[in-house]
Every structure is written in structure tokens, then in C-alpha cells.
Amino acid sequence: MPDTFNTESKILIRSQWSKKIIKYINKRLNSKLVYLGLPSPEAEDIMEWIEYIDEIVAFQCRKYPEPSNASQSTEEVEKLQNKLSELERKKIISNFIVYDGYIEEVLLNGKDNAGIKFELNNLIHIFNLDFCNSITSPMEIVNKNGDIEEVYKFDAVKILLQLQDLIKVNPKKFVMFLTVKASYDGKELENFNKTDAYHTEISKLTKSEKRTRFLRLYIIKTLKNYFEYNGFIPEFLPVIEYLGVNEHKLLHFTIIGIAKTEKTGSAPSFQDFSKLIHQKFITIVNSEFKIKEIKEINEFDIETDPVRSLANSKSFKKLWQN
């Protein structure tokens, strides 16, 4: 495991993409925000956005990527707890909790490795799901019955949206940042449709470019279904493709969510799905966001400024102005 995942590209995304969106949301909601995420023990993302955050719900595993074990040191968990405790003591934040364990196991078991019950009582405004590996990589956990069970990151996302929907607070407006490795092992995608026109279209690309677009399609389609089923209207901003530690290709997704106003039925969508999956990617060149151009297929131009991209979206214009 590397000492840090805090590369120059990640710092740029955190400070020049995510922070601008968070600042804009903070201004629109006219209040500080509640954060839920997977910070490192140094809490770099929290410290970058701290002027806009009031409460923190964090998850910290003991020894990544090994399965949780009672014999493992709690040093990393305690380091994050001490960092956030200092922020609370200085009255920079009003409240925090650090759950000991991987987010998948804590949410599926309803408690962390220290036996602390997982509860979500406040509306979350910032979900920062910075997964270090593939979205399709399963994790083995010991479930409530004492049995070994495979769980997936999307299981955690599904539960978070279900809990967000249950919270009796309005309006429900939030942003979800999702970072994953641009790879998959295939197991979770076995039944995913590979015969439509889009798959035929991207088949002419190199293996790497084809994999990236297939994964984007899968993630957008899955998240779109989860959001809408739980009563949230999703707005997907352009996807950032960049190189992380050891030159691993990563994808950074930004999804803006707002609860639908109707009492019944699934949430409507304001984005054309075909246009969405045919967008160009944003990439990082010389510490700047650039549009990635490829010649083999036709893709739509996108906005590289995150605030303009958000402010010009249909769902924002219709539902975030109030």
C-alpha cells in the first residue's frame, strides 16, 4: 500500500473541482454542510473543504486492503479521530463520528468493528466515496450471522441513498463524488447488456478506451437507477479521467442529487442518457482540466468548469433555484 494516494491530480480535483462545487452549494443552501466520506487519517479532503463543513461522518479501515480483523492496530482510526477531535475542540466543526471499518461492512452490518451502531440522523450534503480500487471488486466480511459474505461498493451506495431518502428534512440537495479505478473483474458485469449500439460503437477503440467507456456506462446506468428508485433526481457532471498512484487510471464522477417533489412514482430525469454516455472525458494536462479528444468515435463537447457545468444543467435551473 502506498504511503499516500494524495497525488498532484487528486489535489487538483479536490481543490479546483470539488471545492468549487461545494462552495457553490454552500452559498445556495446558505448554511454549512454535512460530510460523509472515506478520508485518509490526515483528512486531506476535509481540511481542503473545512470552511464549508459543520458535521462529519467518516469511515476508516485499520489496514487497507486487508479484511478487518480484531488483531489489527487501530492506529489509523485513532489518528483520524484525533484530527477531527481537534477540529471539534477548536469549534471549527460542531460534531463528528469515525466508524472503525470499511464502509461496506459497517453499512451492511449496521455497526462498526468497535460495536458502534451506524446511524444517519442528519441529511448528508457531501458524499465523498473515494474508493481506491475497482467498483466491482467484492469484499469479504463477517455478516451479522457470523457467516462470510461478499459485499460490493454499490451495496454501500444503495444503502446510503435509502437512508438519505428516509431522513425527514427538506429540501434534500446534495453532491456525490465517486472515485474508482478504471478497471473491473467482470463478475458484477456478467449480466450487463453488451449487445446494444453503444457497445458496437466503442468496440473499435483500444482496450483501455473501450474499458473506460464501458465502465462509465455501467456506473452511470446503475447510479441513475439507484437515485431515481429512491426518489432523487440525478445530474451527472462530466467524468474526469486521470492517473493516480503507480499510473493507475482513475475515474472521478460527480452526481448532483435533489429529491423529487412528487409523492409517487420514481424521480424524473432531465438528462438525455444517450448524450450523457457520449460525452467527452475531462483529463488533466499540466495541472489544468482539458477535454480529452479521440478520433475513432463521435463524442459531445463538455464544460470543464465545474460551477458552470452545474449551473447550466436542467435540473439545477428547474429545482435548485428555490
Side-chain angles (χ1 to χ4, degrees):
M1 175 180 175
D3 294 334
T4 180
F5 291 98
N6 202 34
T7 62
E8 289 185 11
S9 293
K10 183 170 287 296
I11 292 171
L12 182 72
I13 293 171
R14 185 187 298 135
S15 63
Q16 298 302 314
W17 180 272
S18 302
K19 186 175 183 178
K20 288 182 178 180
I21 291 173
I22 290 168
K23 178 180 179 180
Y24 195 63
I25 291 175
N26 165 258
K27 182 178 179 180
R28 284 289 175 179
L29 298 181
N30 193 30
S31 66
K32 283 201 167 186
L33 310 174
V34 181
Y35 163 104
L36 182 149
L38 318 174
S40 71
E42 299 299 330
E44 291 100 340
D45 57 343
I46 291 172
M47 298 311 297
E48 181 67 43
W49 309 332
I50 193 62
E51 62 188 293
Y52 309 112
I53 294 175
D54 181 53
E55 298 183 41
I56 295 167
V57 179
F59 300 81
Q60 177 60 53
C61 63
R62 298 188 184 187
K63 192 173 182 180
Y64 179 85
E66 296 180 14
S68 295
N69 187 291
S71 66
Q72 293 169 342
S73 169
T74 59
E75 180 182 355
E76 301 290 81
V77 179
E78 292 168 2
K79 188 183 297 185
L80 178 58
Q81 288 175 331
N82 292 337
K83 186 84 173 179
L84 300 185
S85 180
E86 182 181 3
L87 295 177
E88 185 183 48
R89 181 177 57 80
K90 293 180 178 179
K91 301 187 184 304
I92 296 173
I93 59 174
S94 66
N95 191 26
F96 79 91
I97 186 166
V98 176
Y99 289 105
D100 175 354
Y102 294 96
I103 186 171
E104 301 98 313
E105 64 182 345
V106 175
L107 294 182
L108 267 293
N109 284 332
K111 62 180 181 179
D112 74 354
N113 294 319
I116 299 174
K117 182 181 178 181
F118 177 76
E119 295 181 316
L120 199 60
N121 300 314
N122 292 327
L123 183 72
I124 303 299
H125 301 108
I126 306 167
F127 292 95
N128 190 34
L129 306 179
D130 193 351
F131 296 120
C132 301
N133 51 12
S134 168
I135 192 72
T136 62
S137 297
M139 171 179 290
E140 286 191 347
I141 68 167
V142 179
N143 63 23
K144 296 177 182 178
N145 300 320
D147 300 322
I148 300 296
E149 180 181 352
E150 280 194 344
V151 296
Y152 291 85
K153 293 167 181 60
F154 269 143
D155 292 327
V157 176
K158 186 188 300 184
I159 292 173
L160 289 174
L161 289 171
Q162 290 170 347
L163 294 174
Q164 183 89 331
D165 181 42
L166 292 174
I167 293 174
K168 305 299 182 183
V169 175
N170 282 303
K172 296 177 183 176
K173 299 176 178 179
F174 61 93
V175 58
M176 179 178 288
F177 301 116
L178 173 69
T179 305
V180 298
K181 188 182 292 186
S183 63
Y184 48 86
D185 57 23
K187 290 182 180 179
E188 199 175 351
L189 304 184
E190 286 179 357
N191 298 320
F192 192 60
N193 183 13
K194 298 182 181 181
T195 61
D196 64 19
Y198 184 69
H199 290 91
T200 302
E201 184 179 353
I202 65 175
S203 65
K204 65 187 73 173
L205 301 176
T206 65
K207 183 177 180 180
S208 176
E209 296 294 344
K210 183 165 54 177
R211 182 190 297 118
T212 300
R213 282 159 182 78
F214 181 55
L215 187 60
R216 177 178 64 177
L217 169 68
Y218 172 71
I219 290 175
I220 288 177
K221 194 167 187 176
T222 303
L223 288 179
K224 183 176 183 293
N225 289 338
Y226 286 176
F227 269 67
E228 293 175 357
Y229 180 80
N230 288 288
F232 297 109
I233 300 167
E235 184 75 33
F236 293 87
L237 300 193
V239 179
I240 302 174
E241 175 192 289
Y242 70 101
L243 295 179
V245 174
N246 297 325
E247 299 295 293
H248 287 304
K249 186 186 291 187
L250 300 170
L251 297 181
H252 182 79
F253 293 80
T254 304
I255 311 98
I256 308 298
I258 182 169
K260 67 184 181 70
T261 56
E262 299 82 4
K263 298 293 184 181
T264 59
S266 61
S269 177
F270 291 97
Q271 288 183 294
D272 183 314
F273 182 72
S274 178
K275 288 185 177 180
L276 186 59
I277 63 173
H278 280 88
Q279 286 184 346
K280 295 177 181 178
F281 284 93
I282 293 176
T283 189
I284 296 175
V285 180
N286 297 326
S287 298
E288 292 185 6
F289 297 119
K290 300 289 186 180
I291 296 175
K292 182 176 181 179
E293 304 281 357
I294 61 170
K295 298 178 180 179
E296 290 83 358
I297 61 175
N298 293 321
E299 293 182 319
F300 294 99
D301 284 329
I302 41 89
E303 173 61 66
T304 59
D305 181 274
V307 173
R308 283 201 296 267
S309 183
L310 170 59
N312 291 333
S313 67
K314 288 184 180 179
S315 68
F316 186 86
K317 290 179 178 179
K318 286 181 177 288
L319 300 172
W320 278 73
Q321 302 300 332
N322 299 327

